[in-house]
Amino acid sequence: MVEARGLRRSYDQDAVQALRGVSFSIARGEFVSIMGPSGSGKSTLLRLIGALDDEFEGTLNIDGVDLRKLKDPEGFRSKVIGFVFQSFHLLPTLTALENVQMPMFESTRSGPQRRARAESLLEAMGLKSRMHHLPSKLSGGERQRVAIARSLANEPSFLLADEPTGNLDSKSAQMILEVLDEVHEKRNMTILMVTHDPMVAARAQRSLRMLDGEIVEEVLHRKPAD
Ligand code: ADP
Ligand code: ADP
């Protein structure tokens, strides 16, 4: 699903080397976390993988697509990658149901199909009774579950979660990790989760630990088949 070889990215005319030769692979259906302290290069790597930054050296293939040769990054993102952020990024004036339908306006689904899919995703997230609420009427954990439902709307091949529990209390964080587990298992979703929290990172099958722009350790938490 992801093949990264020798990724390098520097800023400020090479004054800052954010990635210094990063290589790894993620197989389809794997749940992998990237951990590391602030400044280790996690966000930089995530931007490359999310096709938000093409100023890098090395090779990066996602779902068989060479990101160096990508003609339409926006189209690629909306079809292939589901994004989940620390700060949810829900539209405050839209209900949960409307937020989940948003990404589907670019798809070929009809109105009723969009609505039915959004309802079914929210139901799967345990939010059946919350669908018509605005984000401001939902708890942080509920907002993040809406955001996860939205990230799945266009059936991405790959979920990219950036500190998905970073803004949540520990109980809500646990629930979000359970939801991600379920999405991984039931939908056979490939997930890459970035976190600075080792406890959160350990919920993935495998962790890559970054330090100063390099992957310095790989930890296997569970066998891929588990
Ligand atoms: P992390 O997400 O692990 O905190 P980052 O990828 O944000 O790490 O940062 C890696 C290094 O690159 C840090 O030294 C950071 O200061 C630097 N950096 C990140 N973004 C920029 C930028 N846009 N311009 C200059 N330096 C940057
Ligand atoms: P924060 O940690 O400040 O809350 P987020 O987790 O919300 O930030 O966002 C993390 C990263 O995702 C940022 O580097 C940002 O540039 C990027 N990002 C923000 N919005 C989008 C978007 N719509 N699509 C893809 N990437 C985004």
Side-chain angles (χ1 to χ4, degrees):
M1 176 61 62
V2 179
E3 279 284 333
R5 290 291 166 264
L7 296 182
R8 295 178 177 275
R9 172 63 160 112
S10 53
Y11 299 107
D12 302 337
Q13 275 97 36
D14 293 345
V16 181
Q17 299 187 346
L19 299 178
R20 309 163 176 254
V22 166
S23 303
F24 61 94
S25 305
I26 300 177
R28 193 173 290 276
E30 252 196 308
F31 182 2
V32 175
S33 57
I34 293 184
M35 63 174 168
S38 178
S40 57
K42 304 185 298 297
S43 306
T44 298
L45 181 59
L46 208 68
R47 281 199 296 274
L48 300 196
I49 296 173
L52 294 160
D53 174 7
D54 60 3
E55 305 270 301
F56 62 89
E57 289 170 44
T59 59
L60 183 55
N61 273 273
I62 296 185
D63 209 15
V65 175
D66 181 348
L67 293 202
R68 297 289 293 264
K69 298 184 181 146
L70 203 59
K71 295 265 160 41
D72 174 18
E74 208 170 309
F76 174 80
R77 281 199 297 274
S78 66
K79 283 194 201 74
V80 176
I81 305 179
F83 289 94
V84 176
F85 305 100
Q86 174 169 2
S87 50
F88 322 131
H89 292 194
L90 299 175
L91 292 171
T93 56
L94 300 183
T95 65
L97 187 61
E98 290 163 343
N99 264 286
V100 177
Q101 289 182 77
M102 274 299 283
M104 289 188 272
F105 282 100
E106 291 158 36
S107 75
T108 54
R109 288 189 175 86
S110 69
Q113 285 171 330
R114 289 197 294 264
R115 189 186 163 105
R117 177 158 176 83
E119 284 176 352
S120 133
L121 284 166
L122 284 166
E123 207 172 324
M125 299 295 140
L127 293 172
K128 193 174 164 65
S129 62
R130 303 297 229 203
M131 288 198 277
H132 302 293
H133 289 53
L134 291 173
S136 58
K137 304 288 178 205
L138 299 171
S139 71
E142 288 170 338
R143 285 180 211 180
Q144 192 61 301
R145 280 185 278 151
V146 175
I148 293 172
R150 179 190 54 188
S151 76
L152 298 172
N154 284 333
E155 299 174 82
S157 332
F158 181 42
L159 209 63
L160 218 47
D162 188 6
E163 298 278 5
T165 61
N167 274 336
L168 302 175
D169 61 79
S170 66
K171 194 161 162 251
S172 305
Q174 282 310 316
M175 191 169 216
I176 290 306
L177 292 168
E178 279 160 30
V179 166
L180 289 176
D181 250 344
E182 198 175 296
V183 167
H184 170 237
E185 277 169 26
K186 292 204 179 140
R187 296 172 196 265
N188 198 28
M189 185 63 67
T190 311
I191 303 180
L192 180 62
M193 173 173 73
V194 169
T195 178
H196 66 275
D197 183 341
M199 299 280 280
V200 172
R203 295 291 296 265
Q205 292 170 308
R206 180 159 69 93
S207 294
L208 307 173
R209 189 160 68 81
M210 291 192 71
L211 192 64
D212 295 335
E214 294 180 298
I215 294 177
V216 292
E217 188 186 23
E218 181 179 334
V219 186
L220 197 62
H221 302 294
R222 290 181 274 151
K223 289 207 194 78
D226 283 358

